[in-house]
């Protein structure tokens, strides 16, 4: 099972826990499993069936480019973090 | 041959050829956006709000429309109303109603200079006269100019529809977002600390200051297609955003990127482009819109002013234990300041076990901010890097050693959690520590030396590239990334390296949105990294195809052909190695022309670090700070064209020094911008700066075929803090406000003197 | 609207007549009437120097001069800096030193630098910086610009022919010259 590190603002969903285990071969399945364990995750992370534009997914230290289709490994470490500029901005100068 | 850090020898990479687009640019032939003229072209001008915050009650345009020479007048009513929610436009997500309302105010004006109407006429002078005939009836509202005012519970509300999660769906607010980053337990950390420093910082809103104002020529075709010529960092962004604002299908717009006269992030969004198309549609003529300098300053996106409270603690022997930071950034009139990036960069160079960061994105009656070189990071570093300097001083540790002791390395968790892969932060500090500058002695009264570091993520994103082989064995490289300062040269060098060609036998071309696959902005320090990657792969594709052709000629299998040092060879009798030039002449008979292509959505981007040392002299009578010497060390992964890499490092340093010393948006109490020209918005001239020394550090990005890291941004991050630290060491005052202009420095010096005198008097009595 | 005026001036060595409105600046005339778009607009208030041209030997912001004031004057713009097949030494040095990034400021810097070298062939670094202080560059931090001007001055002072050619490698004329010389030697 993958380890998911929960960002500060979502820890209320996990009862304050900052790391939880979840299973799934890609980000979609992982979020589905998180939502089963801690209802509310899907709503926080997904919009129109994909990862919200304001959120980035890092898997084993690498920023995913595939949204919900990004593969997740058996022992992966998965972080959900704010996308640069909250997705409203272009990524940089 | 230049030896590379990852063990390759390069023939072209690492050399300094003359850029391919150089001749046009030194002879005045290069076409920037404002240089495009078309038969029958009209000139557009924009009417802008004289108020910072007001309701538009009515706009009367008939007098303006009746002026001879005026061909069309438009207002926001001519644009489709768009939904007030985050939406995807091409590859970007943003709130389309905000984007549209920023381009043309709908019900309210939200900042001095906000566009309210536009005119197209046969000459720019007539268009200007027409603006004076447009009658707008405003109901003026109180302006909200600072994050402090905007966050007050009874503050006037800018956007009636704005809500945030914490305050709930029923509470109008000016706070668009609150982000939090948390690790360990800061209270525990501060308890263990021997030294704790806490200060509040304020930084002024500043502008990118590109010398070329925004421009656009729109040509609408009656068949529903349109072409836009403009200076932009991202032709595909212009296409998708303009399509959204105009309600046109994206594929009906072609964007031709002109040469661009600087952007630094400020030209990654749209202002004039859709208006030029709409005016063209209304008049049946091409319409050119250009901004004046005052319009650029009043109404395009600067970067946020900010308030940052920063508290950090360390042990006696200099181990950082905790940091707690509260930061609020001015978003401008619509949400979207770079405060998230600010929060994730502010202590990024360090390994700090206990961390709590609260970050707020706040709307105020100022222009909507846009990206500016490492957005949000320079003002953040002003806070953290001056406190680091104070802590090092308290511990009696050299500021470089303090940074090396606490510096982030491979495996150190980043602010948002994921660990760093191989990075070169420590190497940049060591490069500064070993630099002739840092080793030199600085003598004389009122002189001081300051060190600071900076971090920037860099981004990857999408790029496309085509490499064509011509019949004479030369090649062309076609890309969609605009050339903002050496991109063409770098891309041609990468292709030349792979193909074994002379760099002058490769012609680089920047093309329009119909002629190449999707390519994201030239920004985020991504172009050499991601477009370079696509060019590398496209050139490899050419090599693969050429091997097949050689195999055909030699009646071998393609895998039996090898390619090295510009020569194709295979084992066997009578096989004479062939160059690309020789093979190129045989393409027709072996299967036809060859073009290689590749696209990437680049992963594994390597973040960039820089460390800068600056010497200053402070005039104790005026508070003026003179920069005596500056050296910047930056991890660039692999420098493709070292001169342009140095140029990025020097340019970023110069901008950072301007941010440190002089630049600021100055609004009066009515919220009107008072410094709308380059005399009063004071950017560094060459008299203000010394030569800027550079140390290129090369720690390759793992995974990238050439080890490239983006180089465009991070050098702007350290200078404000480095200058503040230098001032502290020169005259003993800790500056906490940007810019550190003569009046502010003088005030700090005087209050220090008053304190000292009071103490002396108290001691004497 | 006031009537257009006929103005006669010498621009880049050519006697030229043009029609301009009394309110048009010289920059506007150059760019919009004469299609010499090499001079750039950065501010229209005399603060950025992107529009610098040389009028009767002195560098001036063409945005601050009216088109009608050009009557009888000799004006040089960046388009007139290079000989038909050869770059001016300043242009060559700007390229060699990578003194331009975006290049929008380059025409103005070249004209200011030319005016400097015309009157002071051996400027110090301080003199170079002083002469260029009216030109803003936001990309480079000025380092490589100052170096290029110093190098150009040195090249001119040493009497060396500037290496500048249009295009990379020797120009066509020079190749012919070389060829003829080689023939002679034989
Ligand atoms: S445009 Fe003339 S000085 Fe700026
Ligand atoms: S090179 Fe861009 S302004 Fe000078």
């Amino acid at each position: 099972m993958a380890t998911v590190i929960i960002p500060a603002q979502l820890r209320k969903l996990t009862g304050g826990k900052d790391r939880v285990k979840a299973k799934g071969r890609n980000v979609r399945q992982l979020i589905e499993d998180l939502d089963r364990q801690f209802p509310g995750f899907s709503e926080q992370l997904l919009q129109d069936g994909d990862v919200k534009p304001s959120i980035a997914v890092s898997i084993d230290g690498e920023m995913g480019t595939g949204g919900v289709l990004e593969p997740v490994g058996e022992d992966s470490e998965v972080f959900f973090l704010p996308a640069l500029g909250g997705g409203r901005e272009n990524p940089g100068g | 041959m230049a030896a590379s850090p990852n063990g390759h020898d390069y023939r072209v990479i690492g050399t300094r050829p003359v850029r391919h687009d150089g001749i046009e640019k030194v002879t005045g032939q290069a076409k920037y956006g404002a240089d495009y003229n078309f038969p029958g072209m009209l000139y557009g001008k924009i009417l802008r709000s004289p108020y910072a915050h007001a309701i538009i009650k009515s706009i009367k345009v008939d007098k303006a429309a009746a002026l001879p020479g005026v061909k069309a007048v438009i207002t926001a009513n001519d644009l489709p109303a768009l939904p007030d929610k985050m939406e995807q436009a091409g590859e970007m997500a943003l709130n389309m109603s905000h984007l549209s309302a920023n381009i043309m105010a709908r019900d309210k004006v939200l900042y001095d200079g906000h566009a309210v109407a536009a005119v197209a006429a046969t000459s720019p002078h007539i268009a200007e006269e027409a603006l004076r005939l447009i009658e707008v009836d405003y109901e003026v509202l109180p302006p909200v100019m600072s994050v402090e005012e905007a966050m007050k519970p009874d503050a006037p509300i800018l956007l009636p529809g704005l809500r945030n999660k914490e305050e709930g769906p029923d509470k109008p607010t000016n706070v668009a977002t609150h982000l939090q980053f948390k690790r360990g337990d800061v209270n525990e950390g501060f308890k263990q600390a021997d030294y704790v420093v806490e200060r509040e910082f304020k930084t002024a809103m500043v502008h990118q200051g590109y010398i070329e104002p925004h421009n656009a020529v729109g040509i609408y075709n009656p068949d529903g297609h349109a072409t836009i010529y403009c200076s932009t960092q991202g032709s595909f962004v212009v296409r998708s955003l303009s399509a959204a604002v105009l309600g046109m299908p994206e594929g009906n717009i072609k964007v031709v990127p002109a040469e661009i006269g600087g952007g630094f992030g400020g030209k990654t969004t749209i202002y004039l482009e859709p208006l030029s198309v709409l005016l063209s549609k209304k008049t049946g003529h091409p319409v050119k819109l250009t901004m004046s300098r005052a319009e650029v300053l009043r109404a395009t996106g600067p970067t946020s002013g900010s308030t940052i409270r920063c508290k950090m603690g360390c042990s006696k022997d200099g181990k950082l234990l905790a940091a707690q930071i509260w930061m609020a950034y001015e978003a401008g009139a619509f949400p979207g300041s770079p405060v998230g990036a600010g929060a994730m960069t502010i202590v990024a160079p360090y390994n700090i076990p206990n961390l709590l960061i609260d970050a707020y994105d706040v709307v105020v009656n100022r222009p909507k901010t846009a990206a500016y070189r490492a957005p949000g990071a320079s003002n953040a570093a002003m806070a953290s890097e001056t406190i680091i300097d104070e802590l090092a001083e308290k511990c009696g540790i050299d500021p470089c050693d303090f940074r090396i002791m606490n510096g982030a390395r491979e495996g150190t968790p980043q602010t948002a959690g994921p660990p760093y892969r191989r990075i070169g932060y420590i190497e940049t500090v060591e490069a500064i520590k070993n630099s002739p500058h840092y080793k030199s002695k600085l003598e004389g009264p009122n002189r001081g030396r300051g060190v600071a570091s900076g971090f920037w993520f860099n981004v990857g994103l999408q790029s496309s590239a085509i490499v064509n082989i011509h019949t004479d064995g030369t090649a062309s490289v076609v890309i969609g990334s605009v050339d903002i300062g050496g991109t063409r040269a770098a891309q041609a060098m990468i292709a030349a390296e792979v193909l074994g060609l002379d760099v002058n036998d490769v012609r680089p071309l920047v093309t329009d949105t119909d002629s190449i696959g999707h390519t994201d902005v030239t920004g985020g320090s991504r172009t050499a990294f991601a477009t370079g990657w696509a060019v590398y792969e496209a050139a490899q594709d050419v090599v693969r195809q050429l091997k097949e052709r050689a195999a055909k000629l030699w009646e071998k299998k393609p895998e039996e052909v090898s390619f090295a040092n510009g020569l194709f060879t295979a084992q066997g009798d009578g096989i004479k190695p062939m160059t690309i030039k020789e093979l190129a002449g045989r393409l027709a008979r072996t299967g036809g022309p060859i073009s290689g292509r590749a696209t990437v959505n680049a992963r594994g981007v390597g973040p960039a670090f820089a460390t800068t040392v600056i010497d200053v002299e402070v005039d104790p009578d005026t508070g003026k700070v003179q920069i005596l010497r500056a050296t910047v060390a930056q991890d660039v992964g692999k420098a493709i064209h070292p001169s342009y890499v140095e140029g990025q490092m020097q340019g970023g340093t110069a901008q950072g020094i301007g941010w440190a010393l002089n630049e600021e948006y100055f609004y009066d109490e009515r919220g009107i911008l008072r410094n709308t020209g380059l005399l009063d918005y004071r950017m560094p001239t060459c008299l203000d700066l010394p030569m800027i020394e550079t140390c290129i550090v090369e720690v390759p990005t793992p995974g990238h075929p050439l080890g490239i890291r983006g180089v465009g941004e991070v050098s702007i991050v350290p200078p404000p803090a480095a200058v503040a630290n230098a001032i502290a060491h020169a005259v003993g005052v800790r500056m906490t406000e940007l810019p550190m202009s003569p009046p502010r420095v003088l005030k700090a010096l005087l209050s220090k003197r008053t304190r000292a005198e009071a103490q002396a008097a108290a001691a004497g009595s | 609207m006031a009537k257009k005026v006929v103005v006669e001036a010498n621009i880049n060595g050519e006697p030229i007549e043009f029609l301009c409105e009394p309110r048009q600046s010289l920059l506007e005339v150059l760019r919009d009437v004469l299609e010499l778009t090499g001079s750039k607009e950065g501010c229209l208030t005399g603060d950025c120097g992107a529009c610098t041209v040389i009028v009767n030997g002195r560098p001036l912001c063409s945005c601050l001069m009216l088109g009608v004031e050009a009557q009888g004057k000799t004006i040089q713009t960046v388009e007139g800096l290079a000989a038909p097949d050869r770059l001016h030494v300043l242009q060559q040095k700007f390229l060699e030193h990578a003194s331009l990034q975006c290049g929008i400021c380059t025409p103005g810097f070249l004209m200011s630098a030319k005016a400097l070298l015309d009157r002071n062939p051996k400027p110090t670094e301080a003199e170079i910086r002083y002469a260029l202080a009216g030109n803003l560059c936001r990309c480079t931090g000025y380092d490589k610009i100052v170096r290029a001007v110093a190098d150009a001055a040195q090249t001119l002072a040493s009497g060396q022919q500037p290496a500048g050619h249009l295009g990379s490698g020797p120009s066509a004329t020079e190749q012919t010259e070389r060829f003829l010389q080689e023939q002679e030697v034989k």
Side-chain angles (χ1 to χ4, degrees), chain C residues 27 40-51 61 63:
Chain C
L27 178 63
K40 302 300 179 193
E41 173 188 326
C43 68
L44 292 189
T45 49
D47 298 317
C48 76
C51 63
C61 293
C63 71

Side-chain angles (χ1 to χ4, degrees), chain A residues 5 7-9 11-12 44 47-48 52-54 58 60-66 70-71 77 79-93, chain B residues 86 92-94 165 177-182 233 264-265 268 335-336 344 361 368-369 371 373 375 416-418 421 456-457 459 461 523-524 601 603-604 713:
Chain A
I5 290 79
Q9 268 130 329
R11 287 180 203 157
K12 53 186 182 293
Q44 293 291 335
Q47 173 184 325
D48 304 331
K52 276 189 186 171
S54 56
S58 156
D60 301 321
E62 171 115 29
M63 288 298 209
T65 53
E70 191 68 25
E77 229 186 11
F79 293 80
F80 292 100
L81 35 145
L84 286 189
R88 293 183 200 90
E89 277 272 340
N90 290 302
Chain B
M86 295 287 276
M92 268 179 22
L94 72 187
K165 281 200 195 119
T177 317
H178 170 208
L179 290 173
Q180 192 181 63
F181 298 90
K182 197 171 169 183
Q233 290 175 250
F264 314 108
T268 55
M344 289 189 278
D361 182 37
K368 162 77 178 80
T369 53
R373 208 167 199 158
R421 302 191 308 156
W456 184 248
F457 308 90
V459 299
L461 303 178
N601 189 355
R603 290 161 176 276
E713 295 172 278

Side-chain angles (χ1 to χ4, degrees), chain B residues 211 262, chain C residues 99-106 136-140 145:
Chain B
I211 302 302
Chain C
S99 308
L100 45 143
Q101 282 175 31
C102 77
I104 196 86
C105 68
T106 308
L136 290 174
C137 172
R138 191 59 158 173
C139 297
T140 64
I145 294 177

Side-chain angles (χ1 to χ4, degrees), chain B residues 214 642 754:
Chain B
H214 295 255
T754 321

